[in-house]
Amino acid sequence: MEQDVFDFWKFLAGIGIFLWGMHQLELAIKELGGKTFRNMLQNSTNTAWKGILIGTFITAILQSSSLVTLMVLAFLGAGVLNLRNAIGVILGANLGTTVTAWIVAALGFKLSVADFAMPFLGLGSLLYLFAGGRVTLKNIGVFSVGFGLLFLGLDFMKTSIEAVADQVDLSEFHHYGLWIYLLIGIIVTALIQSSSAMVVIILSAMSAGVIELLEGAVLIIGANIGTTITVGIGSLGGAADKKRLALAHFLFNCITGLLVFIFIRPLVTYTMLIFSIKDPLMELVLLNTILNMIGILIFYPFIGGFEKWLRKRFMADEPKGVSEFIKNVSTKVPNAALAALEKEIQLAFEKTLAFMANIWDGGNSDNNISIWRRILLQPKNLLQQYKELKVLEDELTQYHLALQEENLSPEEAQRLTSYMLALRTMVYASKDFKDVMHNIQDMKDEDDPIALEYFEKMKTYTFDFFNKLNAFIQQKEFDAVPPDWIGENSRQYKSWISELYNRIKTTQPEFPVSTLTNVIKQVISGLDNLGSSTIHWKLQKKEVIDVLP
């Protein structure tokens, strides 16, 4: 009787179809509920423990630890998550990804897998092709196809291994010890770039009787270590925080895996005894879950110290440039990108106020200056401050162009437009002041009483305006219309010019009148632009933007 031959291409096709199915599931769930999960990740991870729970839940639903990792990296860079809580989410994601193994073990080897996959493939394909412009239905179709492909790939792997199960003798590996299976798990998982696919291969081999439970458990440990190579490769050339998170992921899986490997024999014995599981496949996925739970229990008490240690790593890879938040945030996660961009607008606002305040005070604060202004004032070269603001504008503009290429919702597109209008008018405000900063300094150094009088008037008015703006942006809720004081600048300009012309009818100032009127004009224009930028930033409604001057 002719022996069956191992169909390598069928096995390889099974891996490919399984991974493609996982990819389709990821895309569909990202479109169907990605924003909900991003909001949950953003709003519910204020502690490391909550991060672990949310990371577990989101990964269990999305069935993609790589997608969750992408979101974590984005929110970490945006400043929405700190490194400690991001580590918590990654620990939870490791636990959540074990759900795939539970589904496969519970369904994939109890049913006719190919027959189970066909309805999902057929109905999903038809739904995708004939859904027309109904995006939700199309995504449900993609989800169904992805689910079907996942189980079809499983069937290909399962049948190709079963065909030669009786011909495979792994006893020759036993004299090397269990570490050889650990090494195989690491290498194969690193090559196929998916721990979920590796777990399915291990379950298929166990189902066919190629390996026993103990070898399968060690292969699982190797798969958990091998999957960290995927994140490590993704972090190459990345920013410091990305590398820190990749290192945290590697150390978590590696340390946990090696500790469990040392005690794997008693662990297998006691779990089977305690849980009385008769099915070795279910025992294996239970061990996979326990492995990650042990890691969480080991690492959780030390997350604070672990974070401090990680902060000292990769210092040379800290992002360059003036911006602080967008450097670590992928535009592939628009919600996080917009959060980072808003923090950059706050930074631009502070830089603008610092530049304008230093023009009046030259970097020297006094007792009449409010606390927030004393924090902002820096004794820097004014032209250098202006240059930094322009560089920040260039960096944010490039980021804005990249973000525009993503699939933004109408609300996200409106926020993006508002932020960039705010940035542009802030820079206009700075330029208005830059153009007359030497004239302002001349007025301050003049002995002419009229020039000194208007210097003090404009300075006082400017800082009062700053205080109003600062109070405005600190509000938690905003009305749909701009505040009345935004429009006071034009009235103040007319008042000053009228008063000045009346004064020079009787007293001719030594300081050039044309320069004085130009300074008044530029100062008022700068404050107008600064006020408009704040409205664009905080009142992101089209009807408000349309009525701004």
Side-chain angles (χ1 to χ4, degrees):
M1 183 176 178
E2 187 178 348
Q3 286 186 325
D4 291 326
V5 178
F6 176 56
D7 192 340
F8 171 77
W9 294 113
K10 184 177 182 180
F11 178 75
L12 187 63
I15 295 175
I17 292 171
F18 182 88
L19 293 175
W20 183 249
M22 290 290 291
H23 179 67
Q24 295 301 106
L25 277 175
E26 177 182 322
L27 289 178
I29 298 176
K30 183 178 178 182
E31 292 298 321
L32 288 168
K35 187 173 182 180
T36 300
F37 290 121
R38 286 196 296 269
N39 290 338
M40 185 183 299
L41 185 61
Q42 179 179 355
N43 299 325
S44 305
T45 51
N46 55 333
T47 66
W49 181 243
K50 286 184 180 178
I52 292 171
L53 294 178
I54 292 298
T56 302
F57 174 73
I58 293 178
T59 310
I61 301 298
L62 294 181
Q63 282 303 287
S64 172
S65 57
S66 60
L67 176 58
V68 174
T69 301
L70 175 64
M71 289 193 288
V72 170
L73 287 169
F75 286 123
L76 177 64
V80 174
L81 282 176
N82 59 36
L83 184 59
R84 177 184 301 193
N85 298 342
I87 293 170
V89 177
I90 292 299
L91 299 186
N94 272 11
L95 182 59
T97 197
T98 62
V99 173
T100 303
W102 282 102
I103 294 172
V104 170
L107 299 176
F109 297 94
K110 306 292 190 296
L111 306 169
S112 174
V113 183
D115 292 342
F116 181 74
M118 293 307 167
F120 289 97
L121 290 171
L123 294 175
S125 300
L126 292 174
L127 194 59
Y128 177 79
L129 291 172
F130 297 106
R134 299 179 181 179
V135 178
T136 301
L137 287 179
K138 288 178 78 73
N139 285 318
I140 291 174
V142 173
F143 176 86
S144 181
V145 169
F147 198 72
L149 288 174
L150 189 149
F151 280 94
L152 183 63
L154 168 61
D155 182 71
F156 276 31
M157 286 186 280
K158 176 186 172 186
T159 54
S160 61
I161 291 176
E162 285 176 346
V164 294
D166 295 336
Q167 305 168 32
V168 177
D169 183 11
L170 293 179
S171 59
E172 59 187 81
F173 290 106
H174 291 345
H175 69 277
Y176 290 108
L178 289 175
W179 67 267
I180 193 68
Y181 296 100
L182 179 71
L183 191 61
I184 291 171
I186 294 172
I187 293 173
V188 175
T189 306
L191 289 174
I192 65 177
Q193 297 283 291
S194 172
S195 60
S196 295
M198 183 59 186
V199 169
V200 171
I201 294 172
I202 296 167
L203 289 171
S204 299
M206 278 191 63
S207 177
V210 175
I211 58 174
E212 299 296 328
L213 176 60
L214 188 61
E215 289 82 8
V218 175
L219 285 168
I220 287 282
I221 296 171
N224 276 287
I225 297 174
T227 193
T228 64
I229 295 174
T230 304
V231 180
I233 292 172
S235 72
L236 293 176
D241 273 342
K242 194 171 186 179
K243 292 183 178 180
R244 288 168 186 145
L245 204 60
L247 179 59
H249 187 218
F250 170 76
L251 291 176
F252 169 75
N253 283 28
C254 194
I255 293 172
T256 303
L258 292 177
L259 284 174
V260 172
F261 176 70
I262 294 171
F263 301 102
I264 189 63
R265 293 180 187 277
L267 182 63
V268 169
T269 302
Y270 284 117
T271 51
M272 291 192 74
L273 183 64
I274 292 171
F275 294 98
S276 301
I277 297 177
K278 305 301 182 185
D279 186 346
L281 297 182
M282 298 303 290
E283 168 69 9
L284 187 64
V285 295
L286 175 63
L287 284 169
N288 188 25
T289 303
I290 290 174
L291 165 66
N292 286 284
M293 291 182 69
I294 289 173
I296 290 172
L297 293 174
I298 291 172
F299 271 81
Y300 179 74
F302 306 104
I303 285 182
F306 191 36
E307 178 196 19
K308 292 178 182 177
W309 181 81
L310 287 170
R311 286 287 181 197
K312 298 176 182 178
R313 310 277 81 80
F314 307 110
M315 298 298 291
D317 295 306
E318 288 288 354
K320 305 296 188 294
V322 177
S323 58
E324 295 183 4
F325 302 98
I326 61 171
K327 298 169 184 175
N328 298 320
V329 183
S330 170
T331 55
K332 301 295 182 184
V333 188
N335 198 27
L338 287 169
L341 197 56
E342 182 171 16
K343 286 179 175 287
E344 297 289 4
I345 296 300
Q346 174 72 44
L347 177 65
F349 179 76
E350 292 175 359
K351 285 182 176 290
T352 301
L353 259 61
F355 171 70
M356 296 167 77
N358 279 336
I359 287 176
W360 293 107
D361 282 354
N364 299 315
S365 59
D366 56 51
N367 293 331
N368 294 322
I369 299 175
S370 60
I371 294 174
W372 68 268
R373 259 189 54 226
R374 284 204 295 274
I375 294 172
L376 290 177
L377 291 178
Q378 299 291 332
K380 293 181 179 178
N381 179 284
L382 292 174
L383 288 177
Q384 181 61 30
Q385 282 187 289
Y386 180 74
K387 182 181 178 181
E388 287 181 6
L389 190 58
K390 291 291 291 181
V391 171
L392 178 61
E393 181 190 22
D394 290 342
E395 291 179 16
L396 297 188
T397 299
Q398 290 298 320
Y399 191 75
H400 156 249
L401 294 174
L403 188 53
Q404 276 188 320
E405 299 298 319
E406 302 302 323
N407 185 23
L408 302 179
S409 67
E411 294 78 11
E412 289 171 336
Q414 181 60 58
R415 283 179 63 192
L416 180 59
T417 300
S418 299
Y419 291 156
M420 297 313 295
L421 285 171
L423 176 66
R424 194 170 300 123
T425 44
M426 281 182 200
V427 176
Y428 290 160
S430 297
K431 186 178 186 306
D432 286 331
F433 271 64
K434 184 202 63 114
D435 290 344
V436 292
M437 64 182 184
H438 299 298
N439 300 131
I440 291 174
Q441 187 60 45
D442 290 341
M443 290 174 64
K444 181 181 179 181
D445 296 336
E446 276 284 338
D447 292 330
D448 181 68
I450 294 179
L452 287 172
E453 178 185 339
Y454 276 91
F455 172 86
E456 291 297 334
K457 283 182 177 180
M458 286 186 286
K459 175 182 174 181
T460 301
Y461 184 84
T462 298
F463 286 130
D464 286 344
F465 192 79
F466 287 173
N467 284 323
K468 289 178 182 177
L469 283 181
N470 188 59
F472 177 69
I473 66 172
Q474 297 302 320
Q475 293 176 207
K476 293 184 178 180
E477 296 183 2
F478 299 92
D479 296 327
V481 294
D484 292 338
W485 50 266
I486 290 288
E488 291 178 1
N489 292 328
S490 59
R491 290 190 292 273
Q492 185 61 63
Y493 171 74
K494 292 176 183 178
S495 174
W496 279 340
I497 293 296
S498 175
E499 180 186 274
L500 177 61
Y501 283 153
N502 287 331
R503 291 279 298 278
I504 63 176
K505 289 178 182 178
T506 57
T507 305
Q508 183 63 36
E510 296 178 11
F511 194 82
V513 174
S514 59
T515 302
L516 188 54
T517 55
N518 186 53
V519 171
I520 295 173
K521 176 178 174 296
Q522 291 296 105
V523 167
I524 291 298
S525 175
L527 296 180
D528 271 340
N529 280 321
L530 191 60
S532 294
S533 72
T534 309
I535 299 304
H536 284 306
W537 171 19
K538 291 300 180 180
L539 304 187
Q540 300 163 22
K541 294 183 180 295
K542 186 176 188 301
E543 60 269 22
V544 173
I545 293 173
D546 288 343
V547 301
L548 287 172

